[in-house]
Amino acid sequence: MSTKNTTRRNFIQKTLLASGGIILAPNFISCKKDDDLVASELDTNLLTIKNFHEGVASFDPSSSSVILWTRYATANAEIVWELATDASFTSILRSGKITTEASRDNTLAIEVTELEEHLKLYYRFASPIDSAISVVGETITLPEKASSIKLAVCSCSNYQAGLFNSYNAMAKSDADIIIHLGDYFYEYEAGGYGSTAENAFLNRQHEPAGEIITLEDYRTRYKQYRSDIDLQLAHQKKPFICIWDDHEIANDTYKDGAENHDDATEGSFELRKQNALQSYSEFLPFSRVNKENNSLIYRSINIGNLVHMMMLDTRLIGRDKQLNISNYFTATGLNTEALKSDLNATTRTILGSTQKEWLLSELAGSSSKWQVLGQQVLMGQMYIPIAMLTAFGADNFGEILTELVTIKTRMENDDPTLSAEEKAKVLNTIPYNLDAWDGYPGDREEIYQALNGKKIITFAGDTHNAWNNTLYDQNGTEVGVELATSSVSSPGFETYLGTTDAAFISGFEQALTTLIDGLNYFDASRRGYMMTTFNQTSVSSEWIYVDTILSSSYTASVGHSITYS
């Protein structure tokens, strides 16, 4: 996205100071003409880069606003901030002062409004009293009319699983914005999920050492992740648009609980959730209509008249508890009728009624070229043969998979010698992941039926693997495509397959794209991100992978690409 020169006009210089999810009273800065703007009063020769240990960041750019963020080392410190149109800060657009407070862990978030559209901007923070200054951050305002936009899409960064080379690659890319779909960190204890003998030499054990539960636990974990130089670089160079998934709270979260929470030993889930949300709003601030409620994260972001992106909360605001497939197995096999009945219960929801009504209204009222859902879990229908599910992990799994693929291929070739029993092995399918939209088909279908001919592009993360699905409604009508990113560092399907053998993994990938209708692409083992480019005629997506997360010397390359129009 290119920038334009600033047009000269009068404007009100107004900021909203946000911190810890609480927007403070507006601080109106005196009106000035562009001609009256002065150079920075900071003498950088007297300042040292220090005390801003978590770096700088910006969030939720719009055509007239952006949120600037940092954290300082101490409370009650007066911090000067500046926003300029040049890296040398000779043309200051806005500046101000704000004091750090222990109540929000010394984090600062400044929502700068009344900016002009389509700007490249630079910002920094300083404590003149301490002779301290931050690095210079880079950000943007969005164009009111866009011909193209390039989004880097990522999720699932596990500090103790390996290095954040994917963040480094995104920072150095030509992406306009980084879209983070959640699992920004993991709540597990040191030595828990993500830790292996292979990566132990990196010494990236989680802090604090235990599973995080209290507010200070969550804050400490955020500070550890934000100490990472590659994540800091990504935040410094690109604005982020974020949504949470489950691990920002606890694994497999739903509206009033989580798989990885035990009230008996870990206390109130509601208290834990509030601790998680408060720390999230401190370290990953987002633009909110309701300034007082940090649990309402769903929101829309318009990129010109090109992309209408609706960031969804499929975790906390309304999700019913996930169904457990193991509960439907009996002595005689899987009770598919009971599973189907529970899945299709009319009251079952992943969004909740209020968010769903908001989403349907957004879809109906949008005239943008592309309707984009920025959300956490796979939306595509991922039904696999029951015979495959029950054989997963067995010694003969590879043989059964080969048999199923052979049968499916023969079916596609209209082989008249196929028996009914053989066909049944492939046609008797169930959703493999009930934590995804497959576990909430009613909400999914309601969204599809509300499109009225519009096509959606769905972003997804969560699985640690890369996917491309064609989306179909229950009548078989195509309604859009799903673009799902691999993880930054969290382990993928290779962990569950129990092997890193390239030939076996490749065979598994090919098997799933054959057996699952609508699945066009699947990568089971590589770490990386997506680069998705929107223009007036098409969407193109590249799945970019780093060749290692065990060394800072890495190579990033395109593993797959598609174009959709």
Side-chain angles (χ1 to χ4, degrees):
M1 186 182 70
S2 61
T3 59
K4 68 175 182 62
N5 293 327
T6 305
T7 59
R8 296 188 176 275
R9 61 178 176 83
N10 294 335
F11 60 90
I12 297 175
Q13 298 183 322
K14 182 174 69 175
T15 64
L16 291 176
L17 306 183
S19 180
I22 301 173
I23 302 296
L24 305 179
N27 177 22
F28 287 91
I29 301 174
S30 59
C31 298
K32 294 181 181 180
K33 295 181 179 180
D34 289 13
D35 290 335
D36 296 332
L37 294 176
V38 297
S40 173
E41 296 180 0
L42 293 175
D43 187 346
T44 56
N45 294 320
L46 301 178
L47 303 177
T48 302
I49 295 178
K50 63 180 182 180
N51 295 348
F52 295 92
H53 302 307
E54 289 74 32
V56 300
S58 67
F59 299 93
D60 280 17
S62 74
S63 61
S64 62
S65 65
V66 68
I67 298 172
L68 310 179
W69 181 96
T70 194
R71 181 182 182 276
Y72 197 63
T74 60
N76 304 314
E78 186 177 75
I79 304 298
V80 176
W81 61 271
E82 296 180 328
L83 181 67
T85 56
D86 64 311
S88 59
F89 290 83
T90 57
S91 299
I92 305 294
L93 283 181
R94 307 289 173 81
S95 64
K97 296 179 181 179
I98 186 170
T99 301
T100 59
E101 296 180 9
S103 64
R104 53 187 187 244
D105 201 26
N106 307 329
T107 60
L108 302 173
I110 302 155
E111 186 171 8
V112 188
T113 63
E114 304 289 339
L115 294 169
E116 294 191 11
E117 56 101 14
H118 212 179
L119 296 177
K120 177 65 183 287
L121 298 168
Y122 301 85
Y123 61 97
R124 64 187 180 188
F125 302 85
S127 172
I129 292 177
D130 294 337
S131 300
I133 195 167
S134 72
V135 295
V136 174
E138 302 175 29
T139 193
I140 60 173
T141 56
L142 301 177
E144 292 180 354
K145 293 184 179 180
S147 58
S148 66
I149 192 75
K150 184 167 286 191
L151 307 177
V153 183
C154 66
S155 72
C156 304
S157 47
N158 188 320
Y159 188 87
Q160 58 188 13
L163 301 176
F164 289 165
N165 291 336
S166 294
Y167 282 134
N168 185 278
M170 284 183 276
K172 295 175 180 177
S173 75
D174 60 350
D176 297 307
I177 306 169
I178 293 176
I179 309 297
H180 202 297
L181 299 177
D183 292 346
Y184 186 89
F185 70 19
Y186 284 75
E187 82 279 17
Y188 297 113
E189 73 281 4
Y193 179 70
S195 293
T196 66
E198 183 184 26
N199 61 37
F201 75 96
L202 294 172
N203 295 317
R204 288 170 67 90
Q205 296 295 301
H206 271 154
E207 296 174 1
E211 183 176 322
I212 56 176
I213 297 173
T214 69
L215 176 58
E216 288 308 310
D217 288 344
Y218 281 96
R219 286 169 167 173
T220 299
R221 190 63 56 86
Y222 273 113
K223 283 178 278 194
Q224 180 185 35
Y225 274 60
R226 288 287 261 273
S227 72
D228 183 90
I229 59 173
D230 295 315
L231 179 51
Q232 281 196 16
L233 185 65
H235 276 299
Q236 179 187 355
K237 293 295 184 181
K238 310 290 182 183
F240 274 54
I241 297 172
C242 300
I243 198 81
W244 56 55
D245 199 4
D246 52 343
H247 290 289
E248 286 89 348
I249 303 93
N251 182 57
D252 283 357
T253 301
Y254 50 96
K255 64 185 177 183
D256 51 14
E259 178 276 331
N260 190 30
H261 182 82
D262 180 5
D263 284 351
T265 60
E266 296 174 319
S268 161
F269 174 76
E270 184 62 29
L271 177 58
R272 182 179 187 177
K273 181 174 74 172
Q274 289 308 314
N275 292 336
L277 298 190
Q278 179 173 335
S279 59
Y280 186 100
S281 67
E282 289 169 352
F283 285 84
L284 296 171
F286 53 92
S287 181
R288 298 194 294 274
V289 174
N290 187 330
K291 304 296 186 183
E292 305 301 324
N293 192 339
N294 64 12
S295 68
L296 298 180
I297 198 172
Y298 62 87
R299 62 205 190 277
S300 63
I301 294 174
N302 292 294
I303 304 174
N305 57 345
L306 185 64
V307 174
H308 179 212
M309 186 158 57
M310 294 146 280
M311 305 297 289
L312 303 182
D313 177 3
T314 66
R315 279 295 171 193
L316 287 180
I317 191 66
R319 177 194 276 257
D320 291 321
K321 186 176 181 179
Q322 301 89 337
L323 299 179
N324 188 336
I325 192 71
S326 63
N327 294 337
Y328 297 89
F329 280 96
T330 68
T332 58
L334 182 65
N335 187 341
T336 55
E337 289 304 313
L339 175 60
K340 182 178 180 181
S341 176
D342 289 347
L343 283 174
N344 291 310
T346 56
T347 58
R348 185 163 181 75
T349 180
I350 192 173
L351 295 176
S353 58
T354 302
Q355 181 181 199
K356 183 165 60 177
E357 289 173 6
W358 168 85
L359 174 59
L360 298 180
S361 175
E362 289 286 315
L363 289 169
S366 174
S367 59
S368 295
K369 170 66 176 179
W370 301 107
Q371 313 304 313
V372 180
L373 304 185
Q375 52 91 58
Q376 300 83 349
V377 294
L378 290 175
M379 180 169 266
Q381 193 175 58
M382 305 285 281
Y383 276 55
I384 63 173
I386 297 174
M388 175 184 168
L389 179 66
T390 55
F392 196 85
D395 292 339
N396 64 340
F397 177 66
E399 297 174 9
I400 292 175
L401 204 59
T402 300
E403 178 189 12
L404 294 171
V405 170
T406 301
I407 293 172
K408 183 66 177 289
T409 302
R410 290 170 62 195
M411 289 174 61
E412 291 173 344
N413 293 328
D414 297 322
D415 185 346
T417 66
L418 274 173
S419 68
E421 182 181 7
E422 287 175 314
K423 292 180 180 179
K425 287 184 178 181
V426 169
L427 296 176
N428 290 337
T429 61
I430 57 171
Y432 97 91
N433 183 3
L434 299 182
D435 184 56
W437 285 85
D438 271 342
Y440 307 84
D443 274 5
R444 178 173 60 191
E445 190 61 28
E446 194 168 349
I447 292 169
Y448 288 172
Q449 294 304 317
L451 291 172
N452 294 322
K454 297 176 181 177
K455 297 291 180 66
I456 57 170
I457 307 295
T458 298
F459 289 153
D462 184 63
T463 68
H464 311 167
N465 302 286
W467 313 80
N468 169 222
N469 290 298
T470 303
L471 304 177
Y472 298 98
D473 67 17
Q474 61 187 7
N475 299 317
T477 301
E478 181 182 325
V479 296
V481 294
E482 179 164 55
L483 308 173
T485 181
S486 180
S487 66
V488 169
S489 63
S490 298
F493 244 115
E494 76 279 5
T495 301
Y496 306 105
L497 293 172
T499 181
T500 57
D501 180 73
F504 185 86
I505 291 174
S506 177
F508 178 70
E509 292 166 346
Q510 293 176 26
L512 258 63
T513 54
T514 299
L515 294 171
I516 299 176
D517 294 333
L519 179 58
N520 309 310
Y521 171 66
F522 168 48
D523 184 275
S525 65
R526 290 183 287 182
R527 312 280 71 82
Y529 68 99
M530 287 188 317
M531 185 70 82
T532 304
T533 304
F534 295 84
N535 60 39
Q536 292 292 344
T537 59
S538 65
V539 179
S540 62
S541 190
E542 297 176 327
W543 282 263
I544 299 172
Y545 301 108
V546 296
D547 63 345
T548 182
I549 56 173
L550 298 178
S551 169
S552 58
S553 297
Y554 73 92
T555 300
S557 59
V558 177
H560 185 71
S561 61
I562 68 158
T563 298
Y564 182 76
S565 57

